[in-house]
Amino acid sequence: MVKITFLDGTDITINEETVIYGYTNFSDDPEKEFYLKEFYTNSINGNEGKKTSRLTTYDEKIGIMGFILSVDCFLIGEDTKNSILYRSTAVKSVENLDFYFD
């Protein structure tokens, strides 16, 4: 599991099956409405995508932080209509909660 901590001290925890959506700003035409473009959707274990998840790295926090640095905002969970949309710049830290000893 991975814990994402925000600048205001709140945090969220995700596991390898949690669906994560990433969005980028797509509001570059002043004649059209403001809009976000879906950039990425998958889980760490890749169950939501048609190909291997880009979040699957040797260290889960590295994949998640790379994702956060690549998008403008993101949301967690399958219910995109009722989920909170988080601004990526509001993230303070990402840490692994599972400890493995070799």
Side-chain angles (χ1 to χ4, degrees):
M1 288 194 301
V2 175
K3 180 169 96 171
I4 300 171
T5 303
F6 296 94
L7 294 172
D8 67 357
T10 61
D11 61 68
I12 53 176
T13 302
I14 60 173
N15 62 42
E16 65 180 15
E17 297 171 354
T18 304
V19 180
I20 303 170
Y21 294 82
Y23 298 91
T24 56
N25 182 13
F26 197 65
S27 304
D28 55 357
D29 186 344
E31 300 298 318
K32 295 192 176 189
E33 69 277 355
F34 292 104
Y35 193 73
L36 293 174
K37 182 177 182 180
E38 188 176 307
F39 176 78
Y40 182 83
T41 303
N42 212 336
S43 58
I44 293 172
N45 68 7
N47 285 346
E48 296 301 314
K50 295 179 181 169
K51 41 187 168 173
T52 304
S53 174
R54 294 173 61 199
L55 298 170
T56 306
T57 56
Y58 70 94
D59 184 341
E60 291 174 341
K61 74 175 178 270
I62 299 298
I64 296 296
M65 186 57 92
F67 162 79
I68 290 169
L69 292 171
S70 300
V71 298
D72 294 319
C73 52
F74 62 96
L75 61 83
I76 306 296
E78 296 181 38
D79 184 2
T80 59
K81 181 104 173 154
N82 297 308
S83 295
I84 297 171
L85 192 59
Y86 298 99
R87 176 86 179 180
S88 297
T89 56
V91 172
K92 176 183 175 185
S93 63
V94 176
E95 63 183 293
N96 289 328
L97 295 179
D98 297 326
F99 298 99
Y100 300 103
F101 297 99
D102 294 325

